[in-house]
């Protein structure tokens, strides 16, 4: 397979091309003086199975992905698979109040236009997958996160809300420990409340897992709950470490360890999704 890594997913693309059967595509990307993107592919892709990998956050990476898809499609490839490690706009997944754009569905529809197959990773709301088209699959980082947490000796894994409880269950299955979920209410974009719930965490190492950590508000509130109930060590783990508004220092103050996968590259990206992507592609 021929691999094209967009600017937001260069390291993941590099790991893919190190695997047998994957090969880098020779291409040029640059910006015009007005900052618009320019994309040119130098290889002959006729009949080739091409994989384009690009996280669609922040916004300029969406435009770059569209141009990469266009350039590839013009070279008559055998197939195009678009991998979106972190799918931006995923959380605006419905019309919460009348008149809003349903961003997740709209973005998915456009990303799916020039692709035979789409692969996402721990998408926030699985029910929007149909918006990408007929051949979209979602894979999870929770199994790998669970393995990592097992090596840290976790006794229990929690999700901060019921919506993420399947993720906690998958991570716990892989870690070989118990799991539970908290009950979060979102007040606004940066404020959440977590209802007190009696948990058996006294003296234990507990991990909170979530798909996305953005402001960190959710994890910080959840961690406070666990500490109040006597947890000895609190680990925060997510697939997508978005970390907006200086979240990392606040999270490091609230938790003993912070980790994420490499769908968004940062210092906390201790778990690579590369081998899981390769498995899904083969
Ligand atoms: C929301 O339902 C997601 O699963 C995450 O819990 C949320 O995006 C975390 O956001 P923040 O870090 O800003 O609390």
């Amino acid at each position: 397979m021929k691999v094209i890594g967009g600017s937001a997913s260069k390291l993941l693309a590099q790991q893919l091309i190190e695997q047998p059967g994957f090969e880098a595509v020779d291409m040029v990307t640059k910006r015009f003086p007005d900052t618009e993107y320019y994309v040119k592919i130098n290889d002959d892709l006729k009949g080739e199975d091409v994989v384009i990998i690009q996280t669609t956050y922040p916004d300029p990476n969406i435009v770059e992905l569209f141009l990469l898809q266009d350039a590839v499609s013009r070279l008559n490839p055998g197939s195009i698979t678009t991998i979106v490690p972190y799918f931006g706009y995923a959380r605006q997944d419905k019309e919460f109040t009348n008149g809003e754009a349903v961003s997740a569905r709209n973005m998915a529809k456009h990303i799916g236009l020039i692709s035979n197959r789409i692969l996402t990773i721990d998408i926030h709301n699985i029910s929007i997958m149909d918006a990408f088209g007929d051949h979209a699959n979602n894979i999870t980082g929770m199994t790998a996160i669970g393995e990592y947490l097992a090596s840290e000796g976790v006794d229990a894994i929690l999700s901060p809300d019921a919506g993420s409880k399947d993720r906690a269950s998958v991570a716990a299955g892989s870690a070989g420990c118990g799991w539970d979920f908290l009950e979060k209410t979102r007040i606004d974009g940066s404020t959440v409340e977590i209802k007190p719930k009696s948990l058996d965490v006294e003296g234990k190492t507990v991990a909170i897992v979530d798909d996305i950590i953005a402001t960190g508000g959710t994890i910080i509130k959840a961690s406070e709950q666990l500490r109040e109930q006597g947890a000895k060590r609190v680990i925060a783990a997510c697939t997508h470490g978005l970390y907006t508004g200086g979240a990392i220092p606040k999270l490091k103050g609230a938790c003993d360890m912070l980790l994420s996968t490499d769908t968004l590259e940062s210092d906390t990206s201790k778990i690579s999704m590369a081998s899981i992507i390769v498995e899904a592609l083969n």
Side-chain angles (χ1 to χ4, degrees):
M1 281 185 193
K2 300 279 190 173
V3 178
I4 293 182
S7 306
S9 300
K10 284 244 174 288
L11 291 182
L12 263 175
Q14 184 54 40
Q15 291 180 68
L16 290 191
I17 61 171
E18 284 164 8
Q19 304 294 318
F22 292 85
E23 204 182 317
V25 169
D26 182 26
M27 62 174 189
V28 176
T29 58
K30 63 177 184 183
R31 281 174 183 268
F32 288 110
D34 60 3
T35 77
E36 289 180 354
Y37 275 108
Y38 168 87
V39 167
K40 180 181 185 315
I41 290 169
N42 295 321
D43 285 350
D44 176 12
L45 296 181
K46 191 161 189 235
E48 299 280 0
D49 293 320
V50 182
V51 172
I52 305 172
I53 181 162
Q54 171 80 319
T55 270
T56 53
Y57 174 89
D59 289 359
N61 293 318
I62 302 172
V63 178
E64 188 187 347
L65 173 60
F66 289 159
L67 299 192
L68 289 170
Q69 288 178 318
D70 183 65
V72 171
S73 72
R74 289 170 182 285
L75 294 167
N76 300 315
S79 69
I80 302 176
T81 298
T82 300
I83 304 175
V84 186
Y86 171 65
F87 173 57
Y89 290 96
R91 290 178 290 173
Q92 182 72 28
D93 54 5
K94 62 180 179 194
E95 205 177 333
F96 294 92
T97 58
N98 189 35
E100 289 179 343
V102 183
S103 317
R105 288 198 156 270
N106 192 268
M107 289 297 163
K109 181 175 79 182
H110 287 93
I111 291 168
L113 286 176
I114 305 183
S115 274
N116 301 90
R117 188 181 172 198
I118 300 279
L119 205 57
T120 60
I121 301 175
D122 282 326
I123 195 159
H124 179 65
N125 183 348
I126 197 82
S127 77
I128 72 116
M129 291 303 287
D130 65 297
F132 285 104
D134 289 340
H135 302 286
N137 303 100
N138 181 67
I139 54 175
T140 185
M142 287 295 147
T143 311
I145 287 175
E147 280 164 16
Y148 193 101
L149 293 173
S151 73
E152 289 294 326
V154 286
D155 299 302
I157 295 180
L158 286 117
S159 70
D161 51 36
S164 258
K165 69 180 181 183
D166 289 350
R167 297 189 183 103
S169 147
V170 170
S174 161
C177 66
W179 66 275
D180 205 333
F181 64 94
L182 296 164
E183 283 171 46
K184 173 177 97 175
T185 310
R186 180 163 289 285
I187 311 296
D188 59 40
S190 55
T191 320
V192 295
E193 273 176 13
I194 293 197
K195 218 160 104 188
K197 178 174 180 180
S198 176
L199 298 160
D200 177 21
V201 295
E202 174 96 46
K204 295 188 173 169
T205 295
V206 189
I208 313 157
V209 295
D210 211 347
D211 56 337
I212 305 166
I213 299 180
T215 64
T218 299
I219 293 290
I220 291 167
K221 282 276 182 229
S223 177
E224 282 167 7
Q225 278 281 318
L226 298 173
R227 299 255 194 232
E228 275 167 27
Q229 296 191 42
K232 181 182 74 181
R233 202 166 161 240
V234 178
I235 301 174
C238 65
T239 308
H240 312 296
L242 204 55
Y243 307 132
T244 56
I248 290 189
K250 289 186 246 167
L251 285 157
K252 286 190 173 163
C255 305
D256 298 286
M257 181 185 279
L258 177 61
L259 58 108
S260 65
T261 77
D262 53 0
T263 59
L264 290 156
E265 292 153 13
S266 77
D267 291 349
T268 72
S269 304
K270 298 189 168 73
I271 299 155
S272 177
M273 290 303 299
S275 59
I276 300 165
I277 292 171
V278 169
E279 203 177 307
L281 290 173
N282 284 325

